[in-house]
């Protein structure tokens, strides 16, 4: 009769911490790149005396800026979720489903390291 595991070991948490830290660093680099791209787009020059055919380019530029802003916003949210996961590692609650109290499988945590729900709990929330 084996007792169900309630928490991950320190060694397992270190593995997840390394994974999260790597994803966090990559996400921060991506946000920096997006911000740099946006600032370069804003520095398109002061020559706004071109013909009206430039309106199409301006519209495309605006759409691309909006897309980049949305991407940056999603990345910033992802960064916050990863930082929160690191806090959960430090306080010992990482990997425990907040809905069921059960341990979230390692495979799920490797795929979605910031998750706070087992697949079952997530599916119940959707239904």
């Amino acid at each position: 009769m084996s007792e169900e595991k309630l928490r991950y070991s320190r060694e397992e948490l270190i593995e997840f911490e390394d994974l999260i830290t790597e994803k966090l660093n990559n996400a921060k680099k991506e946000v920096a790149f997006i911000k740099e791209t946006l600032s370069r787009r804003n520095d398109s020059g002061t020559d706004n005396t071109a013909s009206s055919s430039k309106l199409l380019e301006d519209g495309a530029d605006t759409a691309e800026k909006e897309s980049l802003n949305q991407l940056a916003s999603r990345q910033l949210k992802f960064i916050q979720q990863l930082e929160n996961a690191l806090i959960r590692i430090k306080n010992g609650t990482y990997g425990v489903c907040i809905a069921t109290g059960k341990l979230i499988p390692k495979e799920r945590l490797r795929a979605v390291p910031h998750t706070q729900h087992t697949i079952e709990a997530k599916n119940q929330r959707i239904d």
Side-chain angles (χ1 to χ4, degrees), residues 14-43:
I14 289 171
E15 173 193 338
F16 290 123
E17 186 174 13
D18 291 344
L19 174 69
I20 292 168
T21 300
E22 180 181 342
K23 286 186 179 286
L24 188 59
N25 290 336
N26 290 338
K28 286 180 178 179
K29 286 177 189 172
E30 192 168 328
V31 167
F33 177 77
I34 293 168
K35 285 182 178 179
E36 182 181 321
T37 301
L38 282 169
S39 71
R40 269 192 266 123
R41 290 215 166 274
N42 291 338
D43 294 342

mmCIF file of all heavy atoms in Angstrom, residues 14-43:
data_model
loop_
_atom_site.group_PDB
_atom_site.id
_atom_site.type_symbol
_atom_site.label_atom_id
_atom_site.label_comp_id
_atom_site.label_asym_id
_atom_site.label_seq_id
_atom_site.Cartn_x
_atom_site.Cartn_y
_atom_site.Cartn_z
ATOM 1 N N ILE A 14 14.236 21.647 -7.917
ATOM 2 C CA ILE A 14 15.393 22.302 -8.541
ATOM 3 C C ILE A 14 15.336 22.117 -10.057
ATOM 4 O O ILE A 14 15.617 23.043 -10.828
ATOM 5 C CB ILE A 14 16.719 21.778 -7.946
ATOM 6 C CG1 ILE A 14 16.875 22.312 -6.514
ATOM 7 C CG2 ILE A 14 17.913 22.170 -8.808
ATOM 8 C CD1 ILE A 14 18.019 21.693 -5.740
ATOM 9 N N GLU A 15 14.944 20.917 -10.493
ATOM 10 C CA GLU A 15 14.795 20.654 -11.934
ATOM 11 C C GLU A 15 13.766 21.615 -12.541
ATOM 12 O O GLU A 15 14.007 22.224 -13.577
ATOM 13 C CB GLU A 15 14.351 19.207 -12.161
ATOM 14 C CG GLU A 15 14.017 18.898 -13.611
ATOM 15 C CD GLU A 15 13.285 17.572 -13.785
ATOM 16 O OE1 GLU A 15 13.374 16.695 -12.913
ATOM 17 O OE2 GLU A 15 12.603 17.437 -14.829
ATOM 18 N N PHE A 16 12.629 21.768 -11.874
ATOM 19 C CA PHE A 16 11.590 22.678 -12.374
ATOM 20 C C PHE A 16 12.057 24.129 -12.315
ATOM 21 O O PHE A 16 11.763 24.917 -13.216
ATOM 22 C CB PHE A 16 10.292 22.503 -11.586
ATOM 23 C CG PHE A 16 9.599 21.199 -11.862
ATOM 24 C CD1 PHE A 16 9.304 20.327 -10.826
ATOM 25 C CD2 PHE A 16 9.243 20.827 -13.150
ATOM 26 C CE1 PHE A 16 8.663 19.127 -11.075
ATOM 27 C CE2 PHE A 16 8.607 19.624 -13.413
ATOM 28 C CZ PHE A 16 8.312 18.765 -12.369
ATOM 29 N N GLU A 17 12.782 24.475 -11.281
ATOM 30 C CA GLU A 17 13.291 25.841 -11.151
ATOM 31 C C GLU A 17 14.226 26.177 -12.310
ATOM 32 O O GLU A 17 14.150 27.265 -12.890
ATOM 33 C CB GLU A 17 14.012 26.003 -9.808
ATOM 34 C CG GLU A 17 14.450 27.416 -9.521
ATOM 35 C CD GLU A 17 15.031 27.579 -8.127
ATOM 36 O OE1 GLU A 17 15.324 26.565 -7.456
ATOM 37 O OE2 GLU A 17 15.194 28.732 -7.710
ATOM 38 N N ASP A 18 15.091 25.221 -12.668
ATOM 39 C CA ASP A 18 15.996 25.438 -13.805
ATOM 40 C C ASP A 18 15.219 25.620 -15.108
ATOM 41 O O ASP A 18 15.516 26.507 -15.902
ATOM 42 C CB ASP A 18 16.978 24.272 -13.940
ATOM 43 C CG ASP A 18 17.987 24.217 -12.804
ATOM 44 O OD1 ASP A 18 18.137 25.221 -12.074
ATOM 45 O OD2 ASP A 18 18.623 23.152 -12.632
ATOM 46 N N LEU A 19 14.203 24.786 -15.309
ATOM 47 C CA LEU A 19 13.372 24.866 -16.506
ATOM 48 C C LEU A 19 12.661 26.214 -16.573
ATOM 49 O O LEU A 19 12.661 26.889 -17.610
ATOM 50 C CB LEU A 19 12.342 23.731 -16.501
ATOM 51 C CG LEU A 19 11.296 23.743 -17.611
ATOM 52 C CD1 LEU A 19 11.933 23.436 -18.957
ATOM 53 C CD2 LEU A 19 10.200 22.746 -17.299
ATOM 54 N N ILE A 20 12.079 26.635 -15.464
ATOM 55 C CA ILE A 20 11.339 27.899 -15.412
ATOM 56 C C ILE A 20 12.284 29.081 -15.620
ATOM 57 O O ILE A 20 11.967 30.020 -16.357
ATOM 58 C CB ILE A 20 10.568 28.031 -14.080
ATOM 59 C CG1 ILE A 20 9.433 27.000 -14.046
ATOM 60 C CG2 ILE A 20 10.033 29.444 -13.887
ATOM 61 C CD1 ILE A 20 8.795 26.831 -12.680
ATOM 62 N N THR A 21 13.443 29.032 -15.003
ATOM 63 C CA THR A 21 14.418 30.122 -15.146
ATOM 64 C C THR A 21 14.855 30.266 -16.604
ATOM 65 O O THR A 21 14.955 31.387 -17.120
ATOM 66 C CB THR A 21 15.633 29.873 -14.234
ATOM 67 O OG1 THR A 21 15.174 29.800 -12.880
ATOM 68 C CG2 THR A 21 16.661 30.982 -14.362
ATOM 69 N N GLU A 22 15.058 29.137 -17.284
ATOM 70 C CA GLU A 22 15.440 29.186 -18.700
ATOM 71 C C GLU A 22 14.312 29.802 -19.537
ATOM 72 O O GLU A 22 14.547 30.674 -20.367
ATOM 73 C CB GLU A 22 15.748 27.771 -19.201
ATOM 74 C CG GLU A 22 16.155 27.729 -20.657
ATOM 75 C CD GLU A 22 16.428 26.318 -21.158
ATOM 76 O OE1 GLU A 22 16.641 25.405 -20.331
ATOM 77 O OE2 GLU A 22 16.411 26.146 -22.379
ATOM 78 N N LYS A 23 13.074 29.373 -19.294
ATOM 79 C CA LYS A 23 11.930 29.929 -20.029
ATOM 80 C C LYS A 23 11.757 31.416 -19.719
ATOM 81 O O LYS A 23 11.433 32.211 -20.604
ATOM 82 C CB LYS A 23 10.652 29.163 -19.695
ATOM 83 C CG LYS A 23 10.589 27.784 -20.332
ATOM 84 C CD LYS A 23 9.260 27.138 -20.099
ATOM 85 C CE LYS A 23 9.173 25.780 -20.753
ATOM 86 N NZ LYS A 23 9.043 25.853 -22.209
ATOM 87 N N LEU A 24 11.989 31.794 -18.471
ATOM 88 C CA LEU A 24 11.873 33.187 -18.055
ATOM 89 C C LEU A 24 12.899 34.059 -18.769
ATOM 90 O O LEU A 24 12.566 35.133 -19.295
ATOM 91 C CB LEU A 24 12.042 33.276 -16.534
ATOM 92 C CG LEU A 24 11.779 34.596 -15.854
ATOM 93 C CD1 LEU A 24 10.363 35.075 -16.112
ATOM 94 C CD2 LEU A 24 11.993 34.447 -14.349
ATOM 95 N N ASN A 25 14.136 33.597 -18.821
ATOM 96 C CA ASN A 25 15.186 34.346 -19.514
ATOM 97 C C ASN A 25 14.867 34.507 -20.997
ATOM 98 O O ASN A 25 15.036 35.595 -21.563
ATOM 99 C CB ASN A 25 16.548 33.676 -19.329
ATOM 100 C CG ASN A 25 17.059 33.802 -17.913
ATOM 101 O OD1 ASN A 25 16.681 34.711 -17.181
ATOM 102 N ND2 ASN A 25 17.910 32.875 -17.506
ATOM 103 N N ASN A 26 14.373 33.431 -21.632
ATOM 104 C CA ASN A 26 14.013 33.500 -23.050
ATOM 105 C C ASN A 26 12.854 34.468 -23.277
ATOM 106 O O ASN A 26 12.871 35.243 -24.234
ATOM 107 C CB ASN A 26 13.655 32.109 -23.589
ATOM 108 C CG ASN A 26 14.872 31.209 -23.692
ATOM 109 O OD1 ASN A 26 16.005 31.675 -23.767
ATOM 110 N ND2 ASN A 26 14.643 29.916 -23.688
ATOM 111 N N ALA A 27 11.861 34.429 -22.403
ATOM 112 C CA ALA A 27 10.708 35.324 -22.539
ATOM 113 C C ALA A 27 11.132 36.782 -22.368
ATOM 114 O O ALA A 27 10.652 37.664 -23.093
ATOM 115 C CB ALA A 27 9.625 34.950 -21.524
ATOM 116 N N LYS A 28 12.024 37.039 -21.421
ATOM 117 C CA LYS A 28 12.499 38.415 -21.215
ATOM 118 C C LYS A 28 13.283 38.911 -22.430
ATOM 119 O O LYS A 28 13.158 40.076 -22.828
ATOM 120 C CB LYS A 28 13.356 38.500 -19.947
ATOM 121 C CG LYS A 28 12.522 38.436 -18.680
ATOM 122 C CD LYS A 28 13.390 38.513 -17.443
ATOM 123 C CE LYS A 28 12.543 38.495 -16.173
ATOM 124 N NZ LYS A 28 13.373 38.549 -14.960
ATOM 125 N N LYS A 29 14.084 38.031 -23.040
ATOM 126 C CA LYS A 29 14.826 38.406 -24.255
ATOM 127 C C LYS A 29 13.852 38.723 -25.386
ATOM 128 O O LYS A 29 14.054 39.672 -26.142
ATOM 129 C CB LYS A 29 15.763 37.270 -24.687
ATOM 130 C CG LYS A 29 16.986 37.113 -23.822
ATOM 131 C CD LYS A 29 17.817 35.928 -24.276
ATOM 132 C CE LYS A 29 18.920 35.627 -23.281
ATOM 133 N NZ LYS A 29 19.620 34.378 -23.595
ATOM 134 N N GLU A 30 12.784 37.930 -25.481
ATOM 135 C CA GLU A 30 11.803 38.156 -26.535
ATOM 136 C C GLU A 30 11.084 39.494 -26.350
ATOM 137 O O GLU A 30 10.883 40.235 -27.305
ATOM 138 C CB GLU A 30 10.795 37.010 -26.573
ATOM 139 C CG GLU A 30 9.941 37.034 -27.816
ATOM 140 C CD GLU A 30 9.149 35.763 -28.027
ATOM 141 O OE1 GLU A 30 9.625 34.680 -27.654
ATOM 142 O OE2 GLU A 30 8.044 35.883 -28.570
ATOM 143 N N VAL A 31 10.732 39.819 -25.113
ATOM 144 C CA VAL A 31 10.076 41.105 -24.839
ATOM 145 C C VAL A 31 11.027 42.255 -25.181
ATOM 146 O O VAL A 31 10.610 43.250 -25.785
ATOM 147 C CB VAL A 31 9.602 41.197 -23.370
ATOM 148 C CG1 VAL A 31 9.218 42.621 -23.005
ATOM 149 C CG2 VAL A 31 8.424 40.272 -23.144
ATOM 150 N N ALA A 32 12.283 42.120 -24.826
ATOM 151 C CA ALA A 32 13.262 43.164 -25.144
ATOM 152 C C ALA A 32 13.372 43.346 -26.656
ATOM 153 O O ALA A 32 13.423 44.480 -27.151
ATOM 154 C CB ALA A 32 14.621 42.810 -24.541
ATOM 155 N N PHE A 33 13.369 42.233 -27.391
ATOM 156 C CA PHE A 33 13.443 42.307 -28.849
ATOM 157 C C PHE A 33 12.205 42.996 -29.420
ATOM 158 O O PHE A 33 12.307 43.844 -30.309
ATOM 159 C CB PHE A 33 13.593 40.892 -29.439
ATOM 160 C CG PHE A 33 13.597 40.879 -30.936
ATOM 161 C CD1 PHE A 33 14.724 41.270 -31.646
ATOM 162 C CD2 PHE A 33 12.469 40.493 -31.639
ATOM 163 C CE1 PHE A 33 14.730 41.268 -33.036
ATOM 164 C CE2 PHE A 33 12.462 40.492 -33.024
ATOM 165 C CZ PHE A 33 13.601 40.878 -33.726
ATOM 166 N N ILE A 34 11.040 42.650 -28.903
ATOM 167 C CA ILE A 34 9.794 43.267 -29.378
ATOM 168 C C ILE A 34 9.805 44.769 -29.095
ATOM 169 O O ILE A 34 9.455 45.574 -29.962
ATOM 170 C CB ILE A 34 8.563 42.603 -28.721
ATOM 171 C CG1 ILE A 34 8.424 41.155 -29.211
ATOM 172 C CG2 ILE A 34 7.294 43.389 -29.014
ATOM 173 C CD1 ILE A 34 7.433 40.326 -28.418
ATOM 174 N N LYS A 35 10.219 45.139 -27.886
ATOM 175 C CA LYS A 35 10.273 46.567 -27.539
ATOM 176 C C LYS A 35 11.251 47.305 -28.451
ATOM 177 O O LYS A 35 10.981 48.428 -28.888
ATOM 178 C CB LYS A 35 10.668 46.738 -26.073
ATOM 179 C CG LYS A 35 9.547 46.408 -25.114
ATOM 180 C CD LYS A 35 9.968 46.629 -23.681
ATOM 181 C CE LYS A 35 8.829 46.346 -22.716
ATOM 182 N NZ LYS A 35 9.234 46.531 -21.332
ATOM 183 N N GLU A 36 12.390 46.678 -28.737
ATOM 184 C CA GLU A 36 13.380 47.297 -29.623
ATOM 185 C C GLU A 36 12.800 47.461 -31.033
ATOM 186 O O GLU A 36 12.964 48.503 -31.663
ATOM 187 C CB GLU A 36 14.640 46.426 -29.663
ATOM 188 C CG GLU A 36 15.750 46.992 -30.513
ATOM 189 C CD GLU A 36 16.957 46.080 -30.538
ATOM 190 O OE1 GLU A 36 17.293 45.485 -29.495
ATOM 191 O OE2 GLU A 36 17.569 45.960 -31.614
ATOM 192 N N THR A 37 12.099 46.444 -31.496
ATOM 193 C CA THR A 37 11.469 46.509 -32.813
ATOM 194 C C THR A 37 10.434 47.620 -32.856
ATOM 195 O O THR A 37 10.376 48.386 -33.831
ATOM 196 C CB THR A 37 10.799 45.157 -33.153
ATOM 197 O OG1 THR A 37 11.801 44.133 -33.118
ATOM 198 C CG2 THR A 37 10.152 45.180 -34.524
ATOM 199 N N LEU A 38 9.620 47.723 -31.805
ATOM 200 C CA LEU A 38 8.611 48.777 -31.759
ATOM 201 C C LEU A 38 9.251 50.159 -31.729
ATOM 202 O O LEU A 38 8.778 51.084 -32.397
ATOM 203 C CB LEU A 38 7.698 48.596 -30.545
ATOM 204 C CG LEU A 38 6.629 47.522 -30.691
ATOM 205 C CD1 LEU A 38 5.964 47.249 -29.351
ATOM 206 C CD2 LEU A 38 5.600 47.912 -31.731
ATOM 207 N N SER A 39 10.317 50.320 -30.985
ATOM 208 C CA SER A 39 10.947 51.640 -30.908
ATOM 209 C C SER A 39 11.591 52.007 -32.241
ATOM 210 O O SER A 39 11.593 53.168 -32.628
ATOM 211 C CB SER A 39 11.957 51.709 -29.761
ATOM 212 O OG SER A 39 13.095 50.943 -30.049
ATOM 213 N N ARG A 40 12.109 51.021 -32.957
ATOM 214 C CA ARG A 40 12.664 51.295 -34.287
ATOM 215 C C ARG A 40 11.556 51.696 -35.252
ATOM 216 O O ARG A 40 11.736 52.561 -36.082
ATOM 217 C CB ARG A 40 13.416 50.080 -34.833
ATOM 218 C CG ARG A 40 14.876 50.108 -34.465
ATOM 219 C CD ARG A 40 15.678 49.086 -35.225
ATOM 220 N NE ARG A 40 15.756 47.893 -34.394
ATOM 221 C CZ ARG A 40 15.352 46.684 -34.757
ATOM 222 N NH1 ARG A 40 14.877 46.456 -35.954
ATOM 223 N NH2 ARG A 40 15.434 45.668 -33.932
ATOM 224 N N ARG A 41 10.395 51.074 -35.129
ATOM 225 C CA ARG A 41 9.255 51.415 -35.995
ATOM 226 C C ARG A 41 8.778 52.835 -35.706
ATOM 227 O O ARG A 41 8.334 53.535 -36.604
ATOM 228 C CB ARG A 41 8.111 50.435 -35.793
ATOM 229 C CG ARG A 41 8.418 49.080 -36.328
ATOM 230 C CD ARG A 41 7.165 48.461 -36.888
ATOM 231 N NE ARG A 41 7.470 47.307 -37.700
ATOM 232 C CZ ARG A 41 7.775 47.352 -38.978
ATOM 233 N NH1 ARG A 41 7.837 48.482 -39.597
ATOM 234 N NH2 ARG A 41 8.025 46.257 -39.643
ATOM 235 N N ASN A 42 8.854 53.238 -34.447
ATOM 236 C CA ASN A 42 8.434 54.595 -34.083
ATOM 237 C C ASN A 42 9.416 55.639 -34.586
ATOM 238 O O ASN A 42 9.062 56.797 -34.737
ATOM 239 C CB ASN A 42 8.259 54.719 -32.569
ATOM 240 C CG ASN A 42 7.071 53.930 -32.070
ATOM 241 O OD1 ASN A 42 6.154 53.633 -32.823
ATOM 242 N ND2 ASN A 42 7.107 53.568 -30.802
ATOM 243 N N ASP A 43 10.647 55.234 -34.843
ATOM 244 C CA ASP A 43 11.672 56.149 -35.351
ATOM 245 C C ASP A 43 11.730 56.087 -36.875
ATOM 246 O O ASP A 43 12.801 56.059 -37.469
ATOM 247 C CB ASP A 43 13.053 55.780 -34.783
ATOM 248 C CG ASP A 43 13.140 55.983 -33.291
ATOM 249 O OD1 ASP A 43 12.297 56.708 -32.750
ATOM 250 O OD2 ASP A 43 14.054 55.403 -32.679
#
